Amino acid sequence: IPNDLEKINLEYACDNKYLRRKARIHFEKMAKQAKLEGYNIIAVSTYRSYYYQYKLYNNYVKEKGIHYADMASARAGHSEHQTGLAVDIADLSLDYDNFESTKEFNWIKKNAHKYGFILRYPKAKFHITGFKYEPWHYRYVGINLATYIYKNNLTLEEYKLINTR
């Protein structure tokens, strides 16, 4: 459990949601700026405990099988949500499954990197990330890294590969 988890301002979260301090600060700045421009960015899922992730993953296995579960949810102990740096985002409908069709998605796609966030599981990158496209899932990596990843159309895995050679 990260020792610097902080509650997101309820103006930008559907209920009590927590991120690590730096991620929370930058998420709130991003959501505030979006709101000033007429968009509503809401955190619907953030930090998840090991136990919560264990239940979630196993529920996917039970409902849709292990193959789907492995594409849609990390196993407990391997979830980005457990780091306190990941946030699933929606608009005011709180339906992140339809987030891609919202004006908020278009805004965040163009602006998330300015606040240190990357779209973690981009379209057509399953073969690299191992996870299906999730237009709602963003990961805090810091402004410089997020900007580099955004400008070069990379995943975090591709960035790591480039920088370990």
Side-chain angles (χ1 to χ4, degrees), residues 13-123:
C14 64
D15 57 19
N16 294 335
K17 301 294 178 194
Y18 296 83
L19 288 172
R20 294 182 72 177
R21 179 173 173 70
K22 272 189 157 183
R24 180 203 52 84
I25 289 168
H26 285 87
F27 177 78
E28 287 180 355
K29 285 180 183 178
M30 178 172 65
K32 182 178 182 179
Q33 184 59 41
K35 194 168 207 163
L36 289 172
E37 294 180 29
Y39 304 95
N40 290 290
I41 306 288
I42 307 294
V44 293
S45 184
T46 55
Y47 170 76
R48 296 177 187 163
S49 69
Y50 181 94
Y51 180 68
Y52 180 95
Q53 192 63 33
Y54 176 83
K55 288 190 322 185
L56 181 66
Y57 175 83
N58 286 304
N59 191 49
Y60 275 122
V61 171
K62 184 178 173 183
E63 289 183 5
K64 298 188 177 189
I66 196 161
H67 179 70
Y68 179 84
D70 283 339
M71 290 189 315
S73 182
R75 294 174 188 229
H78 299 276
S79 172
E80 290 196 335
H81 285 283
Q82 196 172 336
T83 69
L85 298 172
V87 56
D88 290 346
I89 299 172
D91 65 346
L92 288 176
S93 74
L94 303 181
D95 181 5
Y96 61 86
D97 284 330
N98 291 314
F99 186 59
E100 184 180 22
S101 65
T102 67
K103 63 182 182 171
E104 281 76 7
F105 172 71
N106 289 321
W107 186 90
I108 203 164
K109 187 169 67 168
K110 295 174 190 163
N111 292 285
H113 67 282
K114 298 173 187 173
Y115 301 90
F117 289 88
I118 59 169
L119 173 62
R120 187 61 182 92
Y121 305 117
K123 193 176 275 190

